[in-house]
Amino acid sequence: MNSFISIQPEALEKNPFQLIGKDWMLVTAEADGKANTMTASWGGLGVMWGKNVAYVVIRPQRYTKTFIDASDRFSLSFYPESFKKELGYLGKVSGRDEDKITKAGLTLAHAGETPYFEEANLVLVCKKLYAQEFKPECFIEDGLDEKWYPNKDYHVMYVVEVEEVLVKA
């Protein structure tokens, strides 16, 4: 079993553009004793409402959204490059159809009630603060709506407080 240490969010020295946009992350939530996860490459980190926050966006058809909506907390976790194949698989297969966590070979762990995976090298334990669906009338730059939402399946943006940062010891 791998061990993690808890650090202050301000001590995080990782580049969020690399972590989220290039390395990807898993968004993991649990409801009724069952966990589900999805790969994400859109989101960010910052400060809002006097809190250290992350934001992630999830399309309405994603099965993981059901788990996120049913829970107050979820995790964002990041992995070494050697896990790119597993992350790709977790982004393509739905937990509705199979036990994709087991098939990916990941080991479920918990920080309190919040699920994450032992194979991660960085975990953000997050508490939901705000959620809102993107709206077509709010796009300022021409073409974004048409390019990213041809099916009008607008993401819901979740702003979450980063309550704990766990790094591999």
Side-chain angles (χ1 to χ4, degrees), residues 22 34 38 71 145:
K22 303 286 188 226
K34 182 179 177 187
M38 63 176 260
S71 179
D145 185 15

Side-chain angles (χ1 to χ4, degrees), residues 3 78 95 101 140 153 159 162 166:
S3 60
F78 303 87
I101 293 170
I140 296 169
D153 57 340
V159 177
V162 177
L166 302 173

Side-chain angles (χ1 to χ4, degrees), residues 11 15 23-24 26 34 48-49 55 59 63 66 70 75 79 81 85 89 91 94 98 101 104 107 110-111 124 127 168:
N15 178 331
D23 297 342
W24 307 340
L26 289 180
K34 182 179 177 187
M48 184 173 278
W49 305 311
Y55 72 89
R59 289 192 193 265
Y63 186 48
T66 305
S75 69
Y79 299 80
E81 179 67 28
K85 179 180 174 186
Y89 169 77
S94 175
E98 63 183 59
I101 293 170
T107 308
H110 291 83
L124 305 180
K127 179 177 123 184
K168 192 68 62 96

Side-chain angles (χ1 to χ4, degrees), residues 56-158:
V56 295
V57 293
I58 302 174
R59 289 192 193 265
Q61 65 266 38
R62 295 299 296 258
Y63 186 48
T64 303
K65 185 177 180 308
T66 305
F67 290 76
I68 288 179
D69 289 343
S71 179
D72 291 334
R73 289 172 172 75
F74 60 88
S75 69
L76 305 176
S77 53
F78 303 87
Y79 299 80
E81 179 67 28
S82 60
F83 280 85
K84 203 65 157 182
K85 179 180 174 186
E86 289 86 348
L87 294 176
Y89 169 77
L90 291 166
K92 292 178 186 154
V93 175
S94 175
R96 282 185 189 101
D97 303 325
E98 63 183 59
D99 183 356
K100 67 181 189 174
I101 293 170
T102 298
K103 285 191 176 183
L106 296 181
T107 308
L108 190 65
H110 291 83
E113 302 281 320
T114 307
Y116 69 94
F117 301 105
E118 285 287 342
E119 292 77 10
N121 56 18
L122 171 65
V123 177
L124 305 180
V125 178
C126 302
K127 179 177 123 184
K128 292 189 311 189
L129 299 174
Y130 181 85
Q132 181 164 347
E133 181 180 315
F134 286 178
K135 299 184 182 308
E137 64 271 16
C138 294
F139 285 96
I140 296 169
E141 183 175 318
D142 290 339
L144 288 177
D145 185 15
E146 294 78 10
K147 178 179 180 178
W148 295 104
Y149 301 99
N151 298 322
K152 305 303 179 198
D153 57 340
Y154 296 100
H155 284 98
V156 172
M157 179 177 63
Y158 295 86

